[in-house]
Each structure stands twice: as C-alpha cells, then as structure tokens.
Amino acid sequence: MSTPIDNTIKDGFKSHYCHKAGRFCKGDTELPLLFEISTMINNSRFIKDTLDPIMELVAKYLDAERSMLSILNREVSKILIEASYGISVEDKKQGNYLIGEGVTGNVVKTGNPIFIDKIDSAFGFANKTKLQLKTKAKKDISFIIVPIKVDFEIVGTLSISRIFDERVNKDELIRILSVIGAMIGQAVRARQDRMEYIERLKNENQQLHLELENRFLQENMVGNSSKLREIFKQIEQVSKTHATVLIRGESGVGKELIADAIHYKSDRESKPFIKVNCSALPETLIESELFGHEKGAFTGASEQKKGRFELAEGGTLFIDEIGELSAPMQIKLLRVLQEKQFERLGGNKTIPCDVRIITATNRNLEKAIVEGSFREDLYYRLNVFPIYMPALRERLNDIPLLADHFIQKANKKNGTNIIRIASSAIDALMIYHWPGNIRELENCIERAAIISTDQVIRIENLPPTLQTAESSSTFSKGTLQIIVEKVEKQLIIDCLTAKKGNVLQTAKELSISNRKLGLRIDKYNINVDKYKGKAS
C-alpha cells in the first residue's frame, strides 16, 4: 500500500509509517534514518548548515507537514527556532518563547513531551509560527513535541505537525522523536554554548566600548563649565555622522582630544585613526606624507610609500594646524574632499579614498582668506561642523577639577603621592592668565608635584610666574576683583544653563535670593532668554 508522501527518501529508504497497522515500525527500520542523521552531523563543518536538511529528513520520515528544532538560550531565558522544515522565514522569526510560554515553553519547563491530537481545539497552543489549524481538506492537525536533553539538562525541543490519525501509536512516535533529539542533542548543545559565548562577547564588547567612550571623555576632557558641556553635546551630535569637522581654538586647549573623541565615538572607531601636523613637516615633505609617493618620485625615494590618506582608509584622518598648509597643497586637499580620490607623488594611478577628515587650527582662517593665504572654497569644505574649544581663561571654574586630574596623572606617571592642592595655590591658578592653556597647566602641576615635600601642592611649589605679580604681569590694580567677577558670572551662566533659564531654581541652587541674583544678572548683562529650554 503506497504512503501519502514520496516513498523515496535520500538513497531510497522508505517512510516507516505503516497505515495498515496504524503505527510506526520499531527496531532496525529506524537505523537508515539514524545513520543518515549521524553521517550528516559528522560530515558537516558547520552544524547550522546541516540542521535544516535534518529537519526535512525527519518530516519526510514521519509523514509530517512541518518539523521544528528550538534551542533554549540560557543567557536571555528564551527559546528560539534554530532549524525547521515547512515554515516560512517570516513565521520562523516569530517563533520565540519564554520558559513556560505555550506548548514549547511548557515542555522546556517540565521536561515532559506533549502530544496534541487536534490543535484547533487545544488549550494553551500559542501558534506563533501560524500553523494551519486544519488542512485545506478540513482534516485535523496533530502536534507532537519532545524535550531534547543532554546530561539531564534540557537544551531545546524537537516537534512535528502532521495530519491527525487516530490509529497512530503516540508512545512510539514520541519515542522516535526522542531518539532523534538525543542524537542531535550534543551537536545542539555545542552550538548553544558557542552562540551564548558569542552573545556574551558581544555584550561585553558593547559594555567595554561604552565604558571606554565615557572614560575617554572623563580622563581627557575634564571640566563642568557650560562651555565644555556644550562641546560634549556637539561631539555626540557629529560623531555618528560623516561630516567634516573643523576644530578651532588657541594652542594647548586640547583640540586633538576633541578629534580623538569624535573618532572613537563614531562608527569608524575600529578603523585607523591617523594624525598629521602640518606645522611639524617641511613643505617639501608634506605632499609625500599626505598622499604617499612612488619609487623614484624624487631623490631618496628608494621604494613606494603609502601616505596618510591610504593608511587612514575607512577611518579618520586628523590634520592639525591646517592653516599652515601651502597654497598648492590646499588645492590638492580640496580635490580629495571633492572627488574622494588622489594620486601618489610621482604616480598616475588614481586611488579611491574613503576617509573622514577632521582638521584643527589656531589661526584666524577668515582673516587668512581676506589676506589671500587660505582658499575660501577649501574653508567652506572644512567648516561643515565647526567646534570651538575655549581658552582656559574662558573656563576658570574648571581649573580646580583640572588641577585634581593632573595631580592624579602626575602621581601615576612619576610615582609621586600628592594628596591635595592648597587653597592659596588654587587662588594663584585662578588668577593667572594661562597663555599656554591646558598644556601649560598640566606642566605646572607636574612640576609642582615633583618638588613638593609634604604631599601637598602649595603656592611656593608653583612656577615663579604664578607666585609674584611682578614676574607674571598678571596682577594689576583691581585684577583680583575682575577675576572674582569673571568666576561669579561664569557660575551664574553654568547654573542658568543647567536649570534651562529658570531664575528661581538658579537662585536656589546658588543659595542666594532671587533679588540678588537679578542684580548680578543685570550687572553682568546676562541674557536669561538665551538659556531657556536649553539643556546642557
């Protein structure tokens, strides 16, 4: 008597469902199927590629419409479909269950197989994979599911759905599925372990990446002034884009740190981050450094050399002191920005270029354009997203935080053990005009930490230029009052920014009356409306 499916499976072994007896045959008749499954597993390089064919084999052997292998992900406590036959890709994506959810979740929870005669009348059948409740001929559908166990631990489930037949020996069908499940269980467990390990690595990598981003900002860009918070906000806004960034500011303010932060918070962070300083290279070498050269391009060019653009492919190129670039090099750089390609010096091969450009300068480029020393078209190409890093004298209330930061850095670098900085030394730091900005402050703290004899940085440990009015040229009549007023104004602005322009909350935060705050706002000509609704 012929079966309702193609009797030829693989190399000719036949469906082992006996319609006359109303049961599946036992014993040696299972061996061809088990041998075939074992061979497929042993010969597979990647078990993932073998599981779907195994599910097809199981479905045909057991006269089933669909078969499904689900695996328990212990990391997230979810049961996901790993392989299947007769289920669409879209429906397969929906087949994820919590432990205890639906029939699949209950089998994982209890460890007991379940045989449902007719799913259209079954209670608790979630049917996330949109299994038809009846055939087109209105025949009932049965659903059979067994747990897959390895070393007494449930690692997943194996299930089939087939046309209901009251003659079927349920225990025998469950036994066959259990044997098949046990066979593929070890392979499933190995894949489960690998997938969970990969998932842990991904989560750990994401967490470490986030911690590194935050630590980078915390360790290198120290301060809490409104101006610095605005820069943090701009970095967040531009880092996820591919826009060209122009960083402005005096020498020593930390422009390179902004470039670092933008790159390492971007989607290019795993790609190269290459830096070049135009002022540090002679005019004769800058083209070769940027674009590379061919062998024999000039005297001494004994071999081919890749330039910074090639080395930064797919990543970021930071060009510092862009204002020092010569007119011919400005033209070449403009071409790269426009056409995304270049040639090595002495070569004629065009090289495509996928590099994000970040530039920095302490020069007044607008003035340089008027004077004719900087191209206006290049300026507009570079100035897509400008960021201005304020001088240290513009963020005086960051000095105490910076001083503490540089003390810790000096302790780690030189083995010093400075505990604190005296208030008189802080006062001196707050009054000084800092022509060298952050770089000068760091050097000042490191020197003071080295010469301190009692684990405290005192005013006498600071350089002479910070100790006396005569040598520093910082003090003049009324200067202390001016500095105090500058700090007071900056504190008010910072608090207004944090409170989104709310004067009452700002007064409360600063522990002064609303009237006194109003007087100071008038005195310093602060535009409160500018800070309303502005989150820092």
Side-chain angles (χ1 to χ4, degrees):
M1 181 178 180
S2 62
T3 63
I5 64 171
D6 184 359
N7 286 340
T8 302
I9 302 174
K10 292 291 179 180
D11 294 327
F13 72 79
K14 298 180 178 180
S15 171
H16 290 74
Y17 176 71
C18 178
H19 285 258
K20 184 175 182 180
R23 61 182 175 83
F24 287 90
C25 301
K26 294 184 180 181
D28 294 341
T29 53
E30 298 167 12
L31 292 179
L33 172 66
L34 302 182
F35 177 78
E36 183 72 12
I37 292 175
S38 176
T39 302
M40 293 172 71
I41 291 174
N42 292 333
N43 292 342
S44 66
R45 183 178 179 185
F46 301 105
I47 188 64
K48 169 67 176 175
D49 299 333
T50 308
L51 292 177
D52 280 333
I54 289 176
M55 288 301 98
E56 179 181 2
L57 204 61
V58 169
K60 289 181 177 180
Y61 181 86
L62 298 179
D63 202 11
E65 304 293 320
R66 304 201 313 179
S67 59
M68 186 169 67
L69 172 69
S70 296
I71 291 181
L72 170 63
N73 185 317
R74 293 164 294 190
E75 294 292 315
V76 295
S77 296
K78 278 191 175 183
I79 307 156
L80 308 174
I81 296 178
E82 182 67 20
S84 63
Y85 171 74
I87 302 176
S88 69
V89 175
E90 292 75 17
D91 291 343
K92 185 176 176 180
K93 291 178 181 178
Q94 303 302 316
N96 59 84
Y97 308 85
L98 298 173
I99 296 175
E101 179 186 13
V103 176
T104 301
N106 273 313
V107 169
V108 171
K109 182 179 180 180
T110 63
N112 298 320
I114 294 178
F115 195 117
I116 299 176
D117 288 325
K118 303 176 181 179
I119 59 174
D120 66 333
S121 59
F123 176 77
F125 189 74
N127 200 19
K128 290 188 176 183
T129 58
K130 299 179 181 178
L131 173 65
Q132 290 185 349
L133 302 182
K134 287 181 179 290
T135 67
K136 292 181 180 179
K138 303 301 181 182
K139 293 183 178 180
D140 290 311
I141 301 292
S142 298
F143 183 77
I144 307 95
I145 181 169
V146 299
I148 298 176
K149 298 180 181 180
V150 177
D151 298 330
F152 304 103
E153 180 184 352
I154 298 175
V155 299
T157 64
L158 178 63
S159 61
I160 62 169
S161 59
R162 62 188 306 278
I163 296 174
F164 169 71
D165 189 338
E166 61 183 6
R167 299 169 299 173
V168 166
N169 185 323
K170 297 180 181 179
D171 292 337
E172 183 63 17
L173 189 51
I174 288 174
R175 184 191 67 80
I176 293 176
L177 280 175
S178 298
V179 171
I180 297 171
M183 277 199 67
I184 62 177
Q186 291 291 346
V188 169
R189 174 62 174 272
R191 174 165 173 76
Q192 177 192 48
D193 291 340
R194 285 196 301 272
M195 294 303 294
E196 291 176 359
Y197 177 68
I198 292 171
E199 188 70 22
R200 284 196 300 272
L201 287 180
K202 286 181 179 179
N203 292 335
E204 289 173 6
N205 184 59
Q206 291 175 354
Q207 183 63 31
L208 286 172
H209 182 63
L210 180 61
E211 290 176 2
L212 283 172
E213 285 182 358
N214 294 333
R215 191 172 69 187
F216 181 87
L217 288 175
Q218 292 168 2
E219 290 185 355
N220 295 282
M221 300 184 68
V222 178
N224 194 38
S225 63
S226 59
K227 292 183 178 180
L228 196 59
R229 291 201 299 270
E230 181 62 28
I231 289 173
F232 290 156
K233 181 179 178 181
Q234 290 175 323
I235 289 172
E236 289 290 340
Q237 291 171 329
V238 77
S239 61
K240 303 303 180 184
T241 74
H242 299 283
T244 303
V245 180
L246 175 60
I247 307 169
R248 310 288 291 269
E250 296 179 7
S251 178
V253 294
K255 298 187 290 295
E256 186 175 335
L257 295 178
I258 296 177
D260 291 342
I262 292 171
H263 172 75
Y264 289 112
K265 291 178 73 67
S266 74
D267 56 7
R268 295 174 180 255
E269 55 89 20
S270 61
K271 300 297 175 112
F273 182 38
I274 305 298
K275 302 178 182 181
V276 59
N277 189 317
C278 296
S279 65
L281 295 170
E283 176 64 26
T284 54
L285 291 180
I286 187 68
E287 181 176 1
S288 173
E289 284 297 321
L290 285 175
F291 305 115
H293 62 252
E294 299 290 353
K295 181 179 180 180
F298 52 84
T299 303
S302 57
E303 58 183 17
Q304 184 191 81
K305 176 186 175 182
K306 291 184 177 181
R308 306 294 176 94
F309 271 97
E310 276 187 90
L311 296 175
E313 177 64 23
T316 305
L317 177 62
F318 174 54
I319 307 177
D320 201 3
E321 304 296 352
I322 190 69
E324 305 300 321
L325 211 58
S326 67
M329 287 306 303
Q330 290 179 35
I331 296 174
K332 292 181 180 292
L333 178 59
L334 180 61
R335 185 199 169 197
V336 177
L337 291 171
Q338 291 174 334
E339 302 178 13
K340 306 295 184 184
Q341 59 185 21
F342 63 93
E343 292 91 30
R344 296 192 192 102
L345 182 62
N348 52 22
K349 178 184 177 182
T350 300
I351 301 172
C353 174
D354 174 24
V355 174
R356 183 185 193 166
I357 304 295
I358 302 176
T359 59
T361 184
N362 60 6
R363 290 188 60 188
N364 186 331
L365 294 184
E366 293 78 10
K367 183 179 178 181
I369 291 171
V370 173
E371 295 173 348
S373 61
F374 201 85
R375 294 182 62 94
E376 186 174 12
D377 47 2
L378 177 59
Y379 169 79
Y380 287 119
R381 283 281 184 178
L382 299 175
N383 198 40
V384 175
F385 195 96
I387 296 178
Y388 172 71
M389 186 67 170
L392 185 55
R393 60 183 173 275
E394 298 178 59
R395 38 185 288 224
L396 292 174
N397 53 331
D398 281 338
I399 287 178
L401 289 174
L402 285 164
D404 288 339
H405 168 69
F406 290 136
I407 286 172
Q408 295 175 18
K409 192 172 180 180
N411 285 341
K412 184 176 181 180
K413 177 182 178 181
N414 300 316
T416 52
N417 189 27
I418 301 300
I419 297 174
R420 65 183 181 88
I421 182 169
S423 58
S424 59
I426 284 290
D427 291 342
L429 297 179
M430 297 286 283
I431 293 172
Y432 185 59
H433 63 294
W434 297 111
N437 290 294
I438 307 289
R439 189 180 297 123
E440 184 183 5
L441 175 60
E442 181 175 7
N443 293 340
C444 170
I445 294 296
E446 183 176 359
R447 174 188 180 277
I450 291 172
I451 65 177
S452 172
T453 58
D454 61 355
Q455 299 181 320
V456 177
I457 292 180
R458 304 185 186 279
I459 191 168
E460 57 266 26
N461 302 134
L462 300 178
T465 50
L466 275 75
Q467 294 183 41
T468 64
E470 291 78 17
S471 60
S472 68
S473 299
T474 299
F475 296 96
S476 61
K477 186 177 180 180
T479 297
L480 182 58
Q481 180 63 28
I482 292 172
I483 295 298
V484 170
E485 289 178 351
K486 281 185 178 181
V487 174
E488 184 177 55
K489 179 181 178 181
Q490 188 62 52
L491 285 171
I492 293 172
I493 290 174
D494 289 346
C495 200
L496 280 170
T497 302
K499 300 301 179 183
K500 300 181 181 180
N502 188 310
V503 176
L504 289 174
Q505 290 184 12
T506 300
K508 185 177 179 180
E509 180 72 17
L510 296 173
S511 299
I512 62 174
S513 68
N514 189 39
R515 185 184 70 83
K516 288 183 178 180
L517 178 59
L519 291 173
R520 284 166 171 76
I521 288 174
D522 291 339
K523 176 182 177 180
Y524 299 129
N525 195 25
I526 298 173
N527 183 2
V528 176
D529 292 335
K530 179 181 177 182
Y531 305 99
K532 288 184 176 178
K534 181 179 179 181
S536 58

